[in-house]
Amino acid sequence: MTRLDIISIFPEYFAPLDVSLIGKARERGILDVRTHQLRDWAHDVHKTVDDTPYGGGPGMVMKPEVWGEALDDVIGDGAPRMIVPTPSGRPFTQELAQELAAEPWLLFACGRYEGIDSRVMAEYGTRLRVDEVSIGDYVLAGGEVAVLVMVEAIGRLLPGVLGNAHSAVDDSFAPGAMRNLLEGPVYTKPPVWRGHEVPAVLLSGHHGKVARWRRDEALRRTVANRPELAAAIDPATLDKHDRRLLDELSFRLPPEDVAH
Ligand code: 6GU
């Protein structure tokens, strides 16, 4: 069973982890999620967790002493991998999600305000693997929502969480043939809705043509929405048909490396 500890001044943010995929994984004993209120480790009457930044500047910084006591209690004699959500961290990717899904114990330390006193990461970095991680190029008010994102991405990769019916092997960012290709559009019944028809090929029963059409749509969508991902496609994975389609889309593949 994977253990997840989350320390935050807003543990109520994690109520969604009781429902859906992650809630079921917890009921099935695949995931053990424990949320903690950081203020439980504050000593003063006001349960203070922050103070003004040395060197001046706007906002407040989370105090190291409270974090130290909280982390010591939660960690005990163990050695979880520690994740600190922050917009200045390394990018959270499907690859990092897979790496974290293989860990037995993860500890998320959620900062608010301008962040946690950096000595906390320095101190625990001597004992644990500590990563500061960002979920994208925008700024959230705190790490809580970012941790929800990461827990959902990691949780669905744990063995037994997703049924075989929708396994994670052909995710857009999973390793393999579909790597760096976005998934194309999907349809269900009825065959015509408000005058919009389902593409005929999907009703044809011709599996080869369906696969080819899906790949074309994946390439089109990747070129349109994520040209930098399209540019990163390994040219060796592109067949003649793919190259013709990319040409029709006026998409120039980057030049192939030439061996000297
Ligand atoms: Cl992990 N935290 C915050 N506060 N903002 C973010 C983020 C994390 N990732 C992107 N923006």
Side-chain angles (χ1 to χ4, degrees):
M1 171 147 69
T2 302
R3 176 170 166 186
L4 298 182
D5 284 275
I6 304 171
I7 308 174
S8 161
I9 59 167
F10 295 121
E12 318 88 89
Y13 257 102
F14 301 98
L17 299 180
D18 292 343
V19 299
S20 191
L21 201 78
I22 301 299
K24 294 239 170 59
R26 296 172 74 181
E27 282 170 22
R28 289 194 208 129
I30 296 167
L31 253 185
D32 174 15
V33 180
R34 306 182 192 183
T35 58
H36 310 272
Q37 169 56 267
L38 178 67
R39 291 192 200 276
D40 290 349
W41 284 276
H43 295 293
D44 64 304
V45 281
H46 298 110
K47 305 268 177 203
T48 308
V49 295
D50 60 340
D51 205 340
T52 54
Y54 275 125
M60 299 291 271
V61 174
M62 294 188 106
K63 296 164 64 60
E65 304 96 319
V66 185
W67 272 108
E69 293 200 33
L71 290 165
D72 287 347
D73 277 354
V74 170
I75 294 167
D77 301 324
R81 187 151 167 186
M82 181 170 156
I83 311 295
V84 183
T86 165
S88 38
R90 63 186 278 212
F92 184 68
T93 59
Q94 191 66 22
E95 185 174 75
L96 182 55
Q98 277 165 349
E99 193 184 313
L100 296 176
E103 298 280 352
W105 188 6
L106 300 172
L107 166 56
F108 293 92
C110 296
R112 281 260 145 186
Y113 319 114
E114 297 305 305
I116 302 172
D117 186 303
S118 204
R119 292 169 293 181
V120 173
M121 282 64 83
E123 165 67 11
Y124 289 89
T126 68
R127 301 192 239 157
L128 310 174
R129 172 115 191 239
V130 179
D131 286 284
E132 293 182 287
V133 177
S134 163
I135 63 161
D137 293 341
Y138 38 80
V139 180
L140 304 171
E144 283 77 8
V145 169
V147 169
L148 281 175
V149 167
M150 290 189 262
V151 169
E152 186 154 313
I154 294 163
R156 66 186 283 283
L157 296 175
L158 298 175
V161 172
L162 285 189
N164 278 342
H166 54 286
S167 82
V169 294
D170 60 333
D171 286 345
S172 286
F173 304 101
M178 296 298 274
R179 192 189 159 85
N180 286 342
L181 274 189
L182 300 181
E183 279 165 43
V186 295
Y187 302 87
T188 185
K189 292 168 277 297
V192 185
W193 177 74
R194 296 191 181 180
H196 301 269
E197 292 179 10
V198 172
V201 62
L202 296 179
L203 311 177
S204 70
H206 193 303
H207 298 300
K209 284 185 182 167
V210 168
R212 183 66 254 177
W213 180 86
R214 286 196 171 138
R215 185 165 171 87
D216 286 358
E217 292 303 308
L219 282 163
R220 285 182 200 283
R221 200 175 266 199
T222 307
V223 165
N225 293 348
R226 298 291 302 277
E228 86 291 1
L229 273 189
I233 295 171
D234 177 0
T237 66
L238 297 174
D239 65 16
K240 271 209 190 109
H241 187 117
D242 295 329
R243 287 162 194 273
R244 177 150 30 87
L245 175 67
L246 291 175
D247 209 55
E248 282 167 21
L249 297 173
S250 305
F251 186 79
R252 296 257 152 273
L253 281 165
E256 288 188 55
D257 289 342
V258 185
H260 319 266

